Amino acid sequence: MAVALAASYSVNSATQAINQTITTASFTPTTGDLVVLKVITEDASVPAGAPSATGGGITWVKRAENLVGNTVYAALWTGTVTSGGSAMTVSVTTSGGLNGYVSMVLERWTGAQFASPASVVYINGTTGTATGAITITGTGSVLSWLDGDWNASTGTVTYSGGATQDGIHAVASTYAAYYAYQTVSAGSQTFGLTSPTSQTYTLMAVEIQVSGQANPNSGSMMTMGVGI
C-alpha cells in the first residue's frame, strides 16, 4: 500500500485580530488516518495553542515549534485518528494579546505511519532562499512541510523537488505562509522554495512513511537554525 493524501484543509484568517480562532471545514476521517497539522502566525509573539478537535480520538504530538523573536510563529503537530466515521472539525486559537494573522493546513494521510521516533527537521531564522534538508529513512515516503517568511518577500512563488502546494497565505508587508508536500526517496532530501528569495524563513517538515515498513530510525532527525 502506498501513502495517499485523503484530503487537506487550508484555513486563513480574514483579519489581523487578537486571540482569534480558525477552524477547518467539517470532515469525516477513517480510523487509522494519520493527520499532520501545520500552523503559522505572522509573529512569534502571537503563538497558537494546541489543536482542539471535535472528534476523532486524536492524541496530538507537537513535533516542532518556533517562538524566537523577530520571526514568524510556526508549529507542526501530528496524530492518528483512533475513532473515525463521524464528522469533526479541528481548530487552533492564537494568544499573546497582539494583532496577528494566522493560517493552517490539516492533512489526512492513508496507508501511512510515522517513523519512531519521527523524522523531523526544524530550521529557523535563516535569511536567503528558503531551502532545507532532511534525512529520509523510509522507502516511498512523503515529506510534509511548511515555510513561514517574516520578511513577507514578494515575487513569483516556485517550489523545489516537485512539491505540491496545499496552502498559502501571503499578506504584503506582514508575513507569508507556504504549505506543501512532496514525494521523496530514502537518504538526504532537499525541500523548500526557490523563490521568492530574501526570506527570513522558518522551515519545518515531517516524513510520512508507508504503513508497515520496518523502522531504521535510531533517533529523531532534527536540525535547528539560529534565530536572528
Side-chain angles (χ1 to χ4, degrees), residues 18-176:
I18 295 174
N19 299 349
Q20 60 182 316
T21 298
I22 57 174
T23 303
T24 66
S26 179
F27 62 94
T28 301
T30 299
T31 298
D33 285 354
L34 266 61
V35 289
V36 176
L37 180 66
K38 301 177 283 189
V39 183
I40 301 173
T41 80
E42 68 172 85
D43 194 310
S45 63
V46 185
S52 173
T54 59
I58 302 168
T59 298
W60 297 98
V61 178
K62 183 164 57 180
R63 303 293 186 177
E65 181 179 47
N66 179 60
L67 291 164
V68 178
N70 295 324
T71 58
V72 300
Y73 171 84
L76 193 155
W77 297 80
T78 65
T80 302
V81 175
T82 62
S83 180
S86 299
M88 60 175 288
T89 60
V90 175
S91 301
V92 296
T93 300
T94 61
S95 61
L98 297 176
N99 284 317
Y101 286 103
V102 57
S103 60
M104 69 175 177
V105 167
L106 177 75
E107 298 164 350
R108 288 197 295 122
W109 297 93
T110 61
Q113 68 180 26
F114 297 114
S116 182
S119 294
V120 177
V121 65
Y122 161 35
I123 303 169
N124 180 63
T126 303
T127 300
T129 302
T131 58
I134 185 172
T135 299
I136 300 299
T137 59
T139 301
S141 295
V142 170
L143 187 68
S144 178
W145 57 269
L146 63 80
D147 166 35
D149 177 22
W150 166 263
N151 282 353
S153 304
T154 58
T156 302
V157 178
T158 55
Y159 294 85
S160 63
T164 298
Q165 175 186 291
D166 59 354
I168 187 171
H169 193 206
V171 183
S173 303
T174 303
Y175 93 130

Side-chain angles (χ1 to χ4, degrees), residues 184-195:
V184 287
S185 302
S188 180
Q189 295 288 306
T190 59
F191 66 96
L193 281 73
T194 55
S195 66

Side-chain angles (χ1 to χ4, degrees), residues 188-214:
S188 180
Q189 295 288 306
T190 59
F191 66 96
L193 281 73
T194 55
S195 66
T197 58
S198 301
Q199 294 190 26
T200 295
Y201 60 87
T202 298
L203 289 170
M204 294 177 182
V206 62
E207 178 187 358
I208 304 161
Q209 295 183 340
V210 175
S211 179
Q213 197 165 167

